[in-house]
Amino acid sequence: MKPICAALALAGFLTAPAFPANSKAPFEGRWDLTIVTPKGTYPSWLEVKGNDVRLVGRVSSVHSAKDVKIDGSRLTFSSSEWFGKPINVDWEFQAARGKLTGTQKRADGVEGKIAGVPAPLLNRKMPSKWSKPKPIFNGKDLTGWEPDDASKNNWKAENGELVDGSPGANLRTTGKFQDFKLHIEYNCPDKGNSGVYLRGRYEVQVEYEPPGTDDKFHSMGAIYGFLAPSVEIPRRPGNWETYDVTLVGRTVTVVRDGIKTIDSQEIPGITGGAIDSHEAKPGVIYLQGDHTGNMRFRNITISVPAK
């Protein structure tokens, strides 16, 4: 994911809320949102801690809200979101019976209806055994994969690689996964920007933007906006590199080129560009192809908990 605007960026119990709501603080906690507008439906995410509110919009990184006001069961705030350009947005929520409803009014005149449910804890134990790694790309064609927009698809299988020749569609698996170990090799050119989405909701950043463009929360190997790599690895644009990612519940470990860079950390919520906000459900693996071209991926395998 390419950071859209520097001002936006910051650095089991499947149905239990991450921070249980109560009558005294009905908005407290994390919320998975779905926003319906005349121009489409998309996911969002909200976290409320006292009067501090942060959110994830359609494509932006997690960022803080402004002008936050909480009055009983009513919450209002404003933010700047990216819809082709920065646009001011006013948000209003009502809390009732452990759910949220609300409206989103954009400065460009577009209005959206919001529905929110408590984000699940996803507290699951690490499996004691894993299945044998199974290839999810056969190296020959796009069997098991599909573009999110066939009219813009530039992905093809070539020499055992998934190649995105130019910006266009994103590519996702037809199968869905819950907890898994993912192995994937990637080749990112200089000034390239892509991402690997876990369950279609949490982006592991793939980027070689010019040095100084991105902070550590948006650098190679970050969980976009939320978790920064603990180890800085030298840039290697145009070379093959590897990710080995373990995701159990919302706990993630990332090993890049054999070096552990994120160690059993919690992903707070969906990242910008997520397919949906249904965090308790299995989801796809998807590769971002709408930013820059000449991205290549190969040797993609999945292990799941063994029975």
Side-chain angles (χ1 to χ4, degrees), residues 2-261:
K2 182 179 295 184
I4 301 301
C5 176
L8 296 180
L10 296 178
F13 300 110
L14 296 182
T15 59
F19 300 101
N22 56 66
S23 60
K24 294 183 179 180
F27 296 101
E28 196 78 6
R30 297 172 180 163
W31 300 87
D32 286 338
L33 309 179
T34 300
I35 302 176
V36 180
T37 78
K39 295 188 175 183
T41 299
Y42 63 90
S44 187
W45 176 87
L46 176 71
E47 181 181 64
V48 181
K49 291 183 178 181
N51 287 320
D52 293 327
V53 172
R54 63 177 184 165
L55 65 151
V56 172
R58 177 66 189 95
V59 296
S60 61
S61 178
V62 60
H63 53 287
S64 294
K66 302 174 292 184
D67 305 319
V68 177
K69 296 179 181 178
I70 300 177
D71 183 8
S73 61
R74 181 173 180 265
L75 165 67
T76 62
F77 57 82
S78 62
S79 66
S80 178
E81 305 299 325
W82 183 267
F83 297 97
K85 61 181 179 179
I87 293 177
N88 290 328
V89 180
D90 292 325
W91 306 69
E92 180 174 344
F93 293 89
Q94 293 78 40
R97 296 182 292 277
K99 296 183 179 181
L100 301 183
T101 56
T103 57
Q104 183 195 75
K105 296 182 178 180
R106 290 164 36 179
D108 61 359
V110 177
E111 295 190 10
K113 298 294 184 181
I114 309 171
V117 296
L121 282 173
L122 303 183
N123 281 343
R124 294 196 285 267
K125 293 182 179 181
M126 185 67 60
S128 58
K129 295 182 180 180
W130 293 88
S131 68
K132 181 179 178 180
K134 177 182 178 181
I136 56 174
F137 168 52
N138 64 19
K140 300 176 182 179
D141 54 37
L142 298 186
T143 298
W145 297 79
E146 60 185 5
D148 60 1
D149 186 342
S151 68
K152 297 180 180 179
N153 181 42
N154 296 315
W155 291 91
K156 61 182 179 180
E158 185 177 80
N159 300 321
E161 303 168 7
L162 273 176
V163 181
D164 182 29
S166 58
N170 303 313
L171 192 70
R172 65 182 71 173
T173 58
T174 55
K176 295 184 177 182
F177 308 93
Q178 187 65 277
D179 296 335
F180 55 80
K181 287 188 173 185
L182 170 69
H183 173 85
I184 187 167
E185 299 176 13
Y186 60 92
N187 189 315
C188 180
D190 194 30
K191 299 182 182 178
N193 192 301
S194 181
V196 178
Y197 278 74
L198 314 175
R199 297 194 199 115
R201 302 181 188 112
Y202 315 116
E203 181 189 9
V204 185
Q205 175 73 302
V206 177
E207 66 82 34
Y208 276 132
E209 298 283 354
T213 301
D214 296 326
D215 63 25
K216 62 182 181 178
F217 287 92
H218 304 87
S219 65
M220 183 73 83
I223 304 299
Y224 190 75
F226 280 123
L227 302 176
S230 61
V231 179
E232 185 173 345
I233 296 175
R235 292 166 53 91
R236 297 181 62 225
N239 290 277
W240 285 103
E241 303 182 69
T242 64
Y243 280 144
D244 287 283
V245 182
T246 302
L247 181 64
V248 176
R250 60 174 70 251
T251 299
V252 67
T253 295
V254 178
V255 177
R256 177 182 167 200
D257 292 340
I259 300 172
K260 188 177 292 184
T261 56

